[in-house]
Amino acid sequence: MFIWRTLRGEWQGIVVDPVRQLLRRGLPGMSLAFVAAFGVIFFHALAQRPTGASIVRHLGGVQGDLPLWLALLRTPISLYVPALDLPVWAGITQLFLAFALAELALGRARTLVVAYATTLAGTLTVRVMLLIGPGCGGIGLRPEIGQVLDTGPSAAVVGLFTYLAVVRRAPVVFLLTGGSMVWESIVKPNLAGREHLVAVGAAIVMGVVHELRHKRPTVATLLPNFRPDQPVRAEARCPSPH
């Protein structure tokens, strides 16, 4: 029964509620998903020519050896720059689904914050790893890794799915997202795997903080018998005889 209740609650929070929001708000409720998908398609088509590839790299290519101000300037655009070593259409499908579910379930503003924060967390953490250098238990990175492009929109996708799993209490989605990232980093250790793990960690922290901020104890939870419509009366006590 516990497993059934968990799966039913996960289905309700991850699928049913967003579908209801879609029926109520219509396609404008997934505007971020359409913008993200069309942005990736546009930059992918632009990068098919050498001149276009150079333009895409200068607009949205983020590397660890870039000046910090330039990396921060390019990070929002990097959300639309697909990784060159991954199938673009599979990535677009995941990107559209992640942004659509998140926007319908969380709202537009929180979706943008989570997507950008998880991507930025991976970018900044790579810079710290480069400063540490090789060694230190495998935490540091070699200087030449600073010339490798970051993960693009995939870190945002991982972050959004993880955040959704935390705030909607969806253990299956959490295991599929976080577990797959851990497996990826073990089977194929590379820069993308590290950034994905950082995105998962950042999403977990943001999700837990959000839940703690919105689940503060109230008088009704601390005092189950307290009724706000009744005045509180002091109970008269007689002095005990000595």
Side-chain angles (χ1 to χ4, degrees), residues 94 157 159-160 241:
Q94 295 176 2
V157 172
L160 287 173

Side-chain angles (χ1 to χ4, degrees), residues 166-211:
V166 173
V167 298
R168 290 301 177 101
R169 294 173 175 80
V172 175
V173 174
F174 181 82
L175 289 177
L176 290 176
T177 304
S180 63
M181 293 303 101
V182 173
W183 178 254
E184 175 193 3
S185 63
I186 294 175
V187 174
K188 188 180 179 181
N190 54 16
L191 183 63
R194 294 190 181 213
E195 291 187 347
H196 290 161
L197 288 179
V198 172
V200 169
I204 292 175
V205 172
M206 288 190 293
V208 171
V209 170
H210 177 270
E211 289 299 289

